[in-house]
Each structure stands twice: as structure tokens, then as C-alpha cells.
Amino acid sequence: RLRLHDGKLIKDRRYHLRTYPNCFVAKELTDWLIDHKEAPDRETGIRLMQKLMDHYIIHHVCDEHSDYKDAKLLYRFRKDDGTFPLSKDVKVFMRGQSLYEKLVSTEESILKVREENSVKYQRAFLGCEMIDWLVQEGEAENRKEAVELGRALLEHGIIQHVSNRHHFFDSDILYHFWINFRRRRRLTELLNENSSCTFSESSDSPFCLRKLNPDPGNTSFLSVQTNKEIKVVSAVRRSSITSLAGNSNPYFSTSPMLVSPPVAECNPKSVLKRPVTNEELLSPGAPYIKKTLTIVGDAVGWGFVVRGGRPCHIQAVDPGGPAAAAGMKVCQFVFSVNGMYVLHLDYQTISSLIMTGPRTLVMEVMEAVE
């Protein structure tokens, strides 16, 4: 995606008197894949892009085509229009990647080649060393939170005990990063399928997230208020649930598989019954009250979705997440983020402010008086 932006293949395009921002022409992209040796022929290029569509990474700009056509049709990366569903699994993966980059860029890194039982392991570290580092670098508030983060990384297959015998503990047990985030990857890795529509990934694959013991009804976000208009945004898994059948290891299976994601509603309708303007919110005597919420993010985020713009509103809240615990509800309007007035901003900008800000999030919201 970034290479396509740099090459100006992704840009604003006009079609039938309407401008579509940040999109690409399918036929041009297929040409690009062949020219840059990402695909040997057009058929393979089409299959690669279809795989990205199947996993909700790209889509037709009007969602009129569920398949990728090698034609003069406009498609877009969901990351470029805010419709990419950030499930809990993807958030953990992104957190793991961020920690890995920070670790390998540090002088005297705790990641080293280490030996246990005459076997050498790359990117290895002791559990207690990782806990020390996470707390020291401010990646966790305390050792308990650092252990929870380490366990989330292990349950998703990002790190593991070198012999698959232990979960993550604050001790001198040896672990290593199972995924090498810096390994050069090719799109064609996506096409190593077998007849059952699943494919095995190498341990270094960026598309291989292994989550064990998933939460019941695993979803990315769920409205905490009953509303017929909002649908659950299903967790579009770039991983599968690794089967433990016939595996003696209680924590991790060495046979990860990636399955097709469930059908998801990535663009749910707004939970608002009608549009609300800033003037209406701020007018004297308006039936809205302001509340201050302090949300302490956990290992995978804060647990809510912002949508809309000028003003933005809370579209969905994870009922088991930090935001719900702090009192956040759907249909609240976002007034400020960490002291910054944001009623005039769109949801992409507000989301960026939140994601790049501190773990403890202070938000002012405006809520309709019941």
C-alpha cells in the first residue's frame, strides 16, 4: 500500500462527476504487480488481490463488486478510508510488531542468540528481562500489566517459550519472538493454499496470527446499547484458531492455519437516529450534558469506535473493554481528547490523536439527556 502511494498509483480519481479519494484502478495495479515482479502473470495478480479482498484489506469503492476484476474499476485500501476492522487480534499483532521494532533498534537489546539444551534460538530473551524492559520503557504501568501483555503476545503466537512448554511468566524462563517482523515478504506467500481453503504459513509470515482460547463470541467491537441499526463488527481474523486436537502442548500448536474470515459488516450504519450539528450541541439550553471519561488502555487498546465528523460520535463500545468500564456509551459525542478540543475534526484525525497519545486517555463527551 505504501509503495503504491509513493508510486502515485493511489490517488484521488474522478468518475461520473464524483471524486473518489485514495483509490487505484484495478487494471493499472495488475500491470504494476507484474512490472515489479510481485506476480508472474495477470492471473496470479488477480488471485493475490482477491485474497486481499477476502480478508477485508481492499474493496471496491462503492462495494458493488465482491470480487477483484482486472478492469478499469476503482478499488481502495480499507486503511485509506477508515473501514479496516481493527479486531483485537490485529491490535495485538500491531503491538507486537511495534515492540519488536523498538527492541531490535535498542543498543544492548535483550533480544540475543541464546542457547538451551544445546539448541540455539534467535531473537531470544528471558521472561523477567522482558518484564523489566516493558516497565522501564513505559510500555506497561507495572509488572502485572507487563505479564498480561506478554501472555497476549504468546497466545497470538508472536512470542513463545522456546520448547512450547510454558505460558509467559515473570521468571528466568527463555522465550523468543516466533515472528521475525523484519523478514522480507512477498505477496505470493498468500497463495500457498491447499484444497480445504486454508494454508500453512511459515512462522515468519505477517499474515500468521495464532490465537488460542478465543473469547466467546469473539468480536472486535459490540454496541453496549441495543440498537437495531448497528450490527456487530465481526472480528475479521488474519489468523485462525489453532486446533489443539491431538496436540499435547496446552498453550500453542505448531500447525497454524489461516481460514477465510467470517462475513463482516465493516461499514455499519450510524447509531445516531439523526444528524447533529456542533451548533445544536453548543447552543444554550441544549439537552446535552458533558462528561469526563478517564480510560486506561489495556494491552490491545481502549475498546471503542469513533465515527462521523464535526462532531464525531461513539459508534460502538467493547462491553468488556476499558472504555465501557469508564462509562462510555454509543451515541456520545466527542468534545475533547487529552485536553484538545475536537468537535471540528473528523474521525480519522481523532483516531490518530488517540492512537499516538498516552495510554491513559482523558476524553470529554457530550451525552443526550434522557
Side-chain angles (χ1 to χ4, degrees):
R1 169 176 160 264
L2 295 177
R3 290 169 67 192
L4 294 174
H5 273 286
D6 291 341
K8 306 300 182 185
L9 262 76
I10 294 179
K11 59 185 178 182
D12 296 355
R13 297 174 187 269
R14 194 166 178 80
Y15 181 72
H16 283 182
L17 303 180
R18 180 177 173 182
T19 299
Y20 296 90
N22 294 321
C23 59
F24 59 86
V25 178
K27 190 174 186 302
E28 293 180 4
L29 180 55
T30 309
D31 293 337
W32 184 92
L33 290 172
I34 296 172
D35 292 343
H36 290 77
K37 302 189 186 306
E38 290 289 349
D41 50 51
R42 303 194 79 81
E43 180 183 355
T44 303
I46 293 169
R47 290 172 59 207
L48 286 170
M49 292 303 102
Q50 184 62 50
K51 183 66 68 173
L52 296 188
M53 287 195 73
D54 293 341
H55 290 283
Y56 299 94
I57 294 171
I58 64 174
H59 68 127
H60 181 255
V61 291
C62 296
D63 291 318
E64 293 177 352
H65 301 279
S66 60
D67 53 349
Y68 181 84
K69 298 180 183 296
D70 186 20
K72 291 184 177 180
L73 294 174
L74 299 180
Y75 292 81
R76 184 187 290 132
F77 280 83
R78 291 190 179 276
K79 288 278 285 184
D80 285 330
D81 62 11
T83 63
F84 180 66
L86 281 176
S87 68
K88 183 177 180 179
D89 294 341
V90 175
K91 288 181 182 177
V92 173
F93 180 84
M94 293 171 68
R95 187 74 189 280
Q97 184 177 30
S98 173
L99 292 174
Y100 182 85
E101 290 296 333
K102 192 171 180 179
L103 280 164
V104 298
S105 302
T106 303
E107 291 186 14
E108 302 298 322
S109 174
I110 62 172
L111 299 188
K112 301 175 182 177
V113 178
R114 302 179 188 241
E115 185 173 323
E116 183 171 290
N117 296 329
S118 301
V119 178
K120 290 184 178 180
Y121 298 93
Q122 303 286 334
R123 309 180 294 277
F125 57 90
L126 299 179
C128 55
E129 289 180 338
M130 177 63 81
I131 299 298
D132 291 340
W133 183 84
L134 289 171
V135 174
Q136 178 183 330
E137 295 296 317
E139 296 289 346
E141 297 275 339
N142 49 54
R143 300 188 78 83
K144 180 181 178 182
E145 185 177 306
V147 170
E148 291 175 354
L149 174 56
R151 288 186 166 231
L153 295 176
L154 186 142
E155 288 170 358
H156 285 74
I158 295 170
I159 65 173
Q160 70 171 46
H161 177 245
V162 291
S163 57
N164 290 335
R165 293 179 180 175
H166 299 287
H167 210 308
F168 186 78
F169 295 103
D170 183 2
S171 67
D172 59 357
I173 297 176
L174 189 62
Y175 302 88
H176 68 152
F177 269 85
W178 182 250
I179 299 176
N180 177 8
F181 287 100
R182 287 195 168 184
R183 185 181 68 83
R184 186 165 183 251
R185 301 167 175 92
R186 314 256 346 152
L187 277 175
T188 48
E189 292 178 21
L190 286 168
L191 300 180
N192 298 325
E193 292 191 356
N194 59 29
S195 58
S196 62
C197 296
T198 63
F199 62 90
S200 300
E201 289 285 351
S202 74
S203 60
D204 287 342
S205 171
F207 299 98
C208 191
L209 290 179
R210 294 166 287 266
K211 173 72 180 294
L212 302 187
N213 303 321
D215 300 328
N218 185 21
T219 60
S220 54
F221 295 104
L222 179 67
S223 170
V224 295
Q225 293 181 355
T226 303
N227 188 306
K228 292 182 180 179
E229 293 184 18
I230 185 171
K231 298 180 181 179
V232 173
V233 183
S234 299
V236 180
R237 302 172 65 82
R238 284 163 61 183
S239 67
S240 68
I241 302 168
T242 307
S243 172
L244 295 179
N247 194 323
S248 60
N249 171 28
Y251 297 114
F252 182 69
S253 167
T254 56
S255 302
M257 307 291 277
L258 187 143
V259 299
S260 298
V263 175
E265 178 68 46
C266 296
N267 256 327
K269 295 179 181 179
S270 172
V271 294
L272 301 178
K273 294 180 180 179
R274 63 177 181 82
V276 176
T277 65
N278 285 338
E279 290 74 17
E280 183 179 346
L281 281 177
L282 301 175
S283 63
Y288 296 95
I289 57 174
K290 188 186 296 184
K291 293 184 176 181
T292 301
L293 309 178
T294 301
I295 308 167
V296 181
D298 59 18
V300 293
W302 295 270
F304 65 96
V305 175
V306 176
R307 282 293 181 266
R310 306 175 186 86
C312 289
H313 64 274
I314 304 302
Q315 173 75 6
V317 181
D318 178 354
M328 180 174 285
K329 301 176 183 178
V330 298
C331 296
Q332 292 173 332
F333 296 95
V334 185
F335 183 86
S336 72
V337 174
N338 295 325
M340 179 179 176
Y341 176 77
V342 296
L343 279 181
H344 61 297
L345 300 177
D346 57 29
Y347 75 87
Q348 292 99 330
T349 306
I350 290 179
S351 297
S352 179
L353 285 174
I354 293 170
M355 293 296 289
T356 58
R359 179 186 299 274
T360 300
L361 174 65
V362 179
M363 289 180 64
E364 288 182 297
V365 297
M366 300 190 72
E367 179 181 307
V369 178
E370 296 181 357

